[in-house]
Amino acid sequence: MPTLTAARNAVGLTFFLNGLVFASWVSRIPEVRSSFELTNGQLGLVLLAIALGSVLALPTSGAAINALGTVRIVRLGAVAATVGMLAAALGLGHVLAVTVVGLFVYGLGIGVWDVAMNVEGAEVERGLNRTIMPRFHAGFSGGTVVGALLGVVLIELGVPAVVHLVGIVVLAIVLIFRTSPAFLPVPERHEDEERTSAARAWLEPRTLLIGVMVLALAMTEGTANDWLAVALVDGHDVSHATGVAGFAVFVLAMTVGRFAGTGLIDRFGRVVVLWGTMVLAGVGVLLIVFADHPVVVVVGIVLWGVGASLGFPVGMSAAADDPRRAASRVSVVSTIGYAAFLAGPPFLGFVGDEVGTLKALLVVAVLLMPAALVVPSAREQRVPVRADG
């Protein structure tokens, strides 16, 4: 049987690698726009391929985890993500259709990978009997920091995107296959119980409200992932590398916020901490859009990163409060949350075509206001596990 410590370390590495692969792709987004001579709206449609793949894969991920376990599903997701990223890299600058199809397959893989690692993270969190999910997501953010900084260096050195991305995905899949056997087993369920649980989760008011909260906060995070570097280039007239460096500052701030957030949540509870971080995110976006001084813009990036740090991991923990239905509920919440990645890129792209890429970021500040109303749905619920559960 895997030990709790080994499982914690394996899950942390899995989150890190997920972030590393993702940020490596993000660092090349401005290059996608320039190499194919795309408008912001057209770039948004290209980015839509990732979210579309993820949203199609997510609804069945919970049932797949219940049937096959987190180890097999994480591996399956990593393989699909690797194949997709390789195709996207090979098409970059040559055949747009190949890049789009590759991103779609990458989205399929990253979606099931995401649900499986969150279910496993919740299992480890229960075993430790303390909040740790934000730190797993900090591992994801740490991976994005490394991926973004590595992207800056490789772009400055003129390393082709295909060499960069192929190297990253090969490293990721090798490490996933080596470490995933340390995962803890998820609670066993009967086949008919799996189907009932998966269907019932879509009818639970609390689960759906958590999903709506995660939807808004995922867009808060995802907008920066897709558009911050481009917005800095367009709105503040900086170089491509500087724009990617701004994204690196954002993910670094997210990483710090996720490490610090674990203690704050244990002390003050999920609701109070989430409300506080949402205020920081809104203020940060306003500073980035309206400030002229570079230092103030950097402060805005930091506030946005800290403010966006806890929404997704807290939503995953809240969905998994009951271990008996964790996989199904995490699948539902992830599906709703990933709708932000489905609608966000094209919506922000078309808004950017009308008002400019920088001002389009204000959409985030607007969405945070109604999102605050559903935050109480994520309040802690300690559910005892029955012997017959």
Side-chain angles (χ1 to χ4, degrees):
M1 288 289 294
T3 66
L4 194 57
T5 299
R8 180 200 63 192
N9 294 341
V11 173
L13 180 61
T14 302
F15 272 86
F16 176 87
L17 293 172
N18 191 294
L20 177 68
V21 173
F22 176 72
S24 299
W25 157 250
V26 169
S27 71
R28 296 290 179 166
I29 288 178
E31 185 177 334
V32 174
R33 186 178 67 168
S34 60
S35 64
F36 290 116
E37 299 181 348
L38 303 174
T39 65
N40 283 338
Q42 291 169 334
L43 176 61
L45 291 175
V46 170
L47 299 177
L48 178 66
I50 298 177
L52 183 60
S54 295
V55 169
L56 290 177
L58 286 168
T60 60
S61 298
I65 290 168
N66 286 329
L68 300 176
T70 52
V71 174
R72 291 177 180 174
I73 297 303
V74 162
R75 288 179 168 181
L76 178 63
V79 169
T82 297
V83 171
M85 187 60 71
L86 291 177
L90 291 172
L92 188 58
H94 302 288
V95 183
L96 180 59
V98 173
T99 294
V100 171
V101 172
L103 292 177
F104 175 78
V105 176
Y106 168 76
L108 289 172
I110 213 72
V112 295
W113 180 352
D114 186 271
V115 174
M117 71 183 186
N118 275 287
V119 170
E120 182 64 26
E123 198 67 30
V124 173
E125 187 174 62
R126 274 190 293 276
L128 294 173
N129 197 31
R130 61 185 176 87
T131 302
I132 196 174
M133 186 70 86
R135 292 193 176 180
F136 287 141
H137 283 260
F140 172 87
S141 298
T144 61
V145 171
V146 174
L149 293 177
L150 182 61
V152 170
V153 172
L154 295 181
I155 289 167
E156 286 293 288
L157 292 177
V159 175
V162 64
V163 175
H164 172 196
L165 297 177
V166 167
I168 291 295
V169 295
V170 169
L171 172 67
I173 197 167
V174 169
L175 291 177
I176 286 290
F177 271 76
R178 285 183 62 87
T179 60
S180 57
F183 284 4
L184 298 175
V186 297
E188 293 185 1
R189 307 180 64 86
H190 298 297
E191 185 177 351
D192 58 342
E193 189 180 7
E194 291 169 14
R195 291 195 297 266
T196 301
S197 178
R200 184 185 302 162
W202 281 98
L203 303 175
E204 297 171 346
R206 179 176 182 263
T207 301
L208 296 177
L209 287 174
I210 293 171
V212 171
M213 181 196 77
V214 170
L215 170 67
L217 295 177
M219 192 159 182
T220 302
E221 176 184 346
T223 296
N225 292 337
D226 290 334
W227 292 106
L228 179 57
V230 178
L232 293 175
V233 171
D234 291 355
H236 291 290
D237 196 27
V238 300
S239 68
H240 175 185
T242 302
V244 176
F247 169 69
V249 171
F250 172 85
V251 291
L252 179 60
M254 280 190 61
T255 305
V256 173
R258 284 171 170 170
F259 273 112
T262 56
L264 293 175
I265 291 169
D266 284 339
R267 183 174 181 180
F268 299 107
R270 294 170 181 165
V271 175
V272 172
V273 174
L274 282 177
W275 277 335
T277 55
M278 291 168 76
V279 170
L280 293 180
V283 172
V285 171
L286 294 176
L287 290 178
I288 293 169
V289 173
F290 294 112
D292 292 325
H293 198 285
V295 173
V296 181
V297 173
V298 172
V299 170
I301 294 173
V302 171
L303 291 179
W304 187 2
V306 173
S309 63
L310 297 177
F312 207 91
V314 170
M316 295 301 104
S317 288
D321 275 343
D322 184 350
R324 297 164 300 177
R325 298 179 177 86
S328 298
R329 288 172 176 166
V330 168
S331 178
V332 170
V333 171
S334 297
T335 301
I336 298 172
Y338 265 78
F341 304 125
L342 181 66
F347 179 68
L348 267 293
F350 290 123
V351 172
D353 284 340
E354 295 297 323
V355 302
T357 314
L358 189 62
K359 288 185 177 179
L361 300 181
L362 292 173
V363 169
V364 171
V366 173
L367 282 177
L368 286 171
M369 291 185 283
L373 299 177
V374 297
V375 165
S377 63
R379 196 180 306 276
E380 291 82 352
Q381 289 189 352
R382 300 303 177 190
V383 181
V385 181
R386 299 192 306 267
D388 61 351

